[in-house]
Amino acid sequence: MTSIGIIGTGFGGIGTAAELLTHGYDDVRLWERADTVGGVWRDNTYPGAACDVPAPLYSFSFAPNDDWSRRYPGQAEILGYLRRVADQYGVTRRTRFGARVVSARWVDETWRVTFDDGTVETVDVLISAVGQLSEPSAPDVDGWETFDGTVLHAGAWDDSADLAGRRVAVVGTGASAVQIVPRLADVAAELVVLQRSANHILPKPDGGYAHWYRDFAPGERRPIDWITQQFSRGLDPDSAVATTIERLAATHLRVRVRDADLRRHLRPRHQVGCKRILFSNDYYPTLTRDDVHLVPHALTEVRSDAIRTTDGVWHAVDAICFATGFDTQDFLHGIEIVGPGGDLHDTWSAGARAHLGIHVPGFPNLFLAYGPNTNLGGGSIITMLEAQARHIRATLDRMRHRRLRRVEATPAAEQRWDDRVQHELAHSAWASCTSWYRHPETGRITSNWPGGTWAYEQVVADVHDEEFLWT
Ligand code: NAP
């Protein structure tokens, strides 16, 4: 019997566990550092948190939900769905909560997993499902520890914080910021939005599902899937899709923001698709409010009662909300992984890489869900996670049928894969600006898959014997 340990209970951990449990793997245990399942959908409780991928696609294909209230449901609804699936598939009861993995070492042909309380568990197979967006990051600016007011981060929101009637700064203008800014503007006395880069923003085709339409909503999955294929590849700047999106975003900006000066600041300077394309109907209108001020500069310094931007201006505020994203380049942050190939973090010092985004040579029986080069510029990450779960299960099936104990990708297969992926990425929009998708020192694009989800599903559908060392 193969014992399997999964780190993390977000979409990746729950989906992989469900795949294994429904295919005859009974000894599956999950470890979760928090006290409930849910991953980013448990942690990102900031006002306005919602998904920018339509729900019929942002759900497991094996657990369709015909009860979504709207096309782009909020965080609580998605979390509720995820918890139901985890309960239904027996994932919750197999999870040890409050269990933070600090290290995993390959000893005597097994993974010896150590937790922050000093306890140790041993498994034959280790699966990381910690995600790429689980460690909130904030700019390292002078003086922020001297700030007397409230400090919040979108990725680890404190629900008890009361911002009513206060002067609030939102730092950042990415996917989290465009959701949080309209909600905070409604409660704060004054809102300052610090923008380092303006983004391409499209209208969000959101709407409630009328009762009569509910039965048809799951049928939206296929057409939406087709549309998102166009977004999810690294947009070729000369493509019709790129031109269309750019024009749509420019028209959206022109229609929503009449003030020419404000509009000028909101015009993106980077190639379309280089940073994530955003969807919002209320972000631009919010920025036109008298009590909301767009500051087109980065944060540089903080003092007890104010923040300073790169133009040297101090802004008096009572609260700072960081919507500055995640530590995306330190894959498996805070977990030491030591295999026959050495320390995984040393292996990845120039940027993370993995065969199919799943296997790392030198680290037998280790599988990654949402590993390097499997993120999307658009489309549903759930499709990618399901493809990875099927691939992991198929690999384990092969081991089971042949009575094998150990599998790892060959360095040659990994190199071929990496050459191919990096070659395609070099011609994508992502190569044209800095973003969270790239390693800060080497510039290597470590996060994204260069194609659509269909292409990825195809490429990981089979387990090719010659790409692995089987023992
Ligand atoms: P993000 O996309 O990394 O955005 C961080 C923002 O902070 C950027 O605008 C960045 O500017 C800005 N920033 C960083 N340092 C700054 C400084 N010193 N001063 C001013 N601005 C600064 O993070 P995010 O918005 O949390 O989104 C991360 C990812 O999470 C998304 O790309 C998406 O994959 C996921 N997400 C998804 C949803 C959804 O609806 N599905 C919602 C939220 C997040 P630069 O652009 O110049 O770096």
Side-chain angles (χ1 to χ4, degrees), residues 98 199 203 209 211 291 321 334 360 377 411:
N199 284 305
Y209 283 131
H211 185 65
D291 53 358
C321 300
V360 189

Side-chain angles (χ1 to χ4, degrees), residues 184-221:
L184 292 189
D186 283 341
V187 295
E190 215 177 326
L191 196 65
V192 180
V193 180
L194 268 55
Q195 172 189 275
R196 189 165 69 178
S197 313
N199 284 305
H200 295 90
I201 305 178
L202 297 178
K204 194 173 186 178
D206 199 3
Y209 283 131
H211 185 65
W212 64 267
Y213 190 70
R214 286 267 168 89
D215 291 343
F216 299 98
E220 287 188 343
R221 191 176 170 93

Side-chain angles (χ1 to χ4, degrees), residues 41 46 50-52 133 139 171-177 179 194 196-197 199 275-276 297-299 323-326 436-437:
W41 293 105
Y46 59 83
C51 191
D52 61 8
L133 302 167
V171 186
T173 50
S176 301
Q179 296 180 343
L194 268 55
R196 189 165 69 178
S197 313
N199 284 305
K275 292 174 193 262
R276 189 175 168 93
H297 301 284
L299 175 72
T324 44
F326 300 85
W436 67 259
Y437 308 137

Side-chain angles (χ1 to χ4, degrees), residues 332 337-339 341-349 360 363 366 368:
L332 280 95
I337 306 270
V338 182
D343 184 316
L344 184 62
H345 292 281
D346 291 344
T347 307
W348 284 347
S349 58
V360 189
F363 295 85
L366 172 70
L368 310 176

Side-chain angles (χ1 to χ4, degrees), residues 121-436:
E121 290 192 43
T122 302
V123 285
D124 301 317
V125 169
L126 181 63
I127 301 174
S128 163
V130 300
Q132 293 191 16
L133 302 167
S134 47
E135 293 299 325
S137 83
D140 184 17
V141 293
D142 285 343
W144 76 267
E145 66 287 351
T146 64
F147 187 63
D148 283 339
T150 307
V151 178
L152 296 157
H153 195 292
W157 196 257
D158 176 0
D159 296 318
S160 66
D162 182 10
L163 301 177
R166 303 174 74 188
R167 295 165 303 174
V168 179
V170 173
V171 186
T173 50
S176 301
V178 298
Q179 296 180 343
I180 209 167
V181 163
R183 295 290 82 76
L184 292 189
D186 283 341
V187 295
E190 215 177 326
L191 196 65
V192 180
V193 180
L194 268 55
Q195 172 189 275
R196 189 165 69 178
S197 313
N199 284 305
H200 295 90
I201 305 178
L202 297 178
K204 194 173 186 178
D206 199 3
Y209 283 131
H211 185 65
W212 64 267
Y213 190 70
R214 286 267 168 89
D215 291 343
F216 299 98
E220 287 188 343
R221 191 176 170 93
R222 281 216 149 267
I224 292 171
D225 194 12
W226 183 86
I227 293 167
T228 59
Q229 296 303 311
Q230 320 308 316
F231 279 82
S232 54
R233 50 176 79 105
L235 287 178
D236 173 352
D238 303 323
S239 67
V241 177
T243 314
T244 308
I245 295 173
E246 193 156 27
R247 285 193 188 143
L248 266 174
T251 307
H252 183 215
L253 174 59
R254 206 166 43 244
V255 169
R256 294 294 196 168
V257 180
R258 308 308 299 173
D259 180 285
D261 210 32
L262 179 59
R263 209 162 55 220
R264 184 169 57 79
H265 292 310
L266 290 170
R267 208 165 285 141
R269 307 275 176 242
H270 55 266
Q271 192 175 307
V272 66
C274 179
K275 292 174 193 262
R276 189 175 168 93
I277 295 161
L278 308 177
F279 293 87
S280 174
N281 298 328
D282 47 7
Y283 180 66
Y284 282 150
T286 301
L287 294 180
T288 66
R289 289 171 55 145
D290 291 340
D291 53 358
V292 177
H293 315 287
L294 180 81
V295 177
H297 301 284
L299 175 72
T300 54
E301 199 180 336
V302 177
R303 67 177 190 217
S304 60
D305 59 352
I307 58 174
R308 192 159 75 106
T309 41
T310 40
D311 54 349
V313 175
W314 284 96
H315 310 266
V317 292
D318 309 309
I320 308 172
C321 300
F322 287 103
T324 44
F326 300 85
D327 187 355
T328 56
Q329 292 305 312
D330 189 11
F331 282 72
L332 280 95
H333 173 93
I335 305 177
E336 182 192 41
I337 306 270
V338 182
D343 184 316
L344 184 62
H345 292 281
D346 291 344
T347 307
W348 284 347
S349 58
R353 47 190 281 174
H355 182 52
L356 309 175
I358 300 172
H359 311 264
V360 189
F363 295 85
N365 296 7
L366 172 70
F367 300 92
L368 310 176
Y370 199 8
N373 295 112
T374 63
N375 181 59
L376 301 168
S380 177
I381 198 66
I382 316 304
T383 313
M384 302 291 276
L385 293 171
E386 283 192 47
Q388 287 153 13
R390 287 193 298 271
H391 176 91
I392 293 168
R393 196 258 305 156
T395 310
L396 296 180
D397 283 352
R398 192 154 303 188
M399 292 170 76
R400 187 161 61 174
H401 294 144
R402 295 189 193 162
R403 297 177 181 280
L404 302 168
R405 270 202 67 80
R406 169 176 171 162
V407 64
E408 70 182 270
T410 67
E414 194 268 355
Q415 188 63 54
R416 272 197 306 279
W417 166 262
D418 191 63
D419 289 346
R420 172 192 156 182
V421 168
Q422 291 300 323
H423 174 77
E424 287 180 36
L425 288 169
H427 299 282
S428 72
W430 295 314
S432 63
C433 72
T434 53
S435 69
W436 67 259

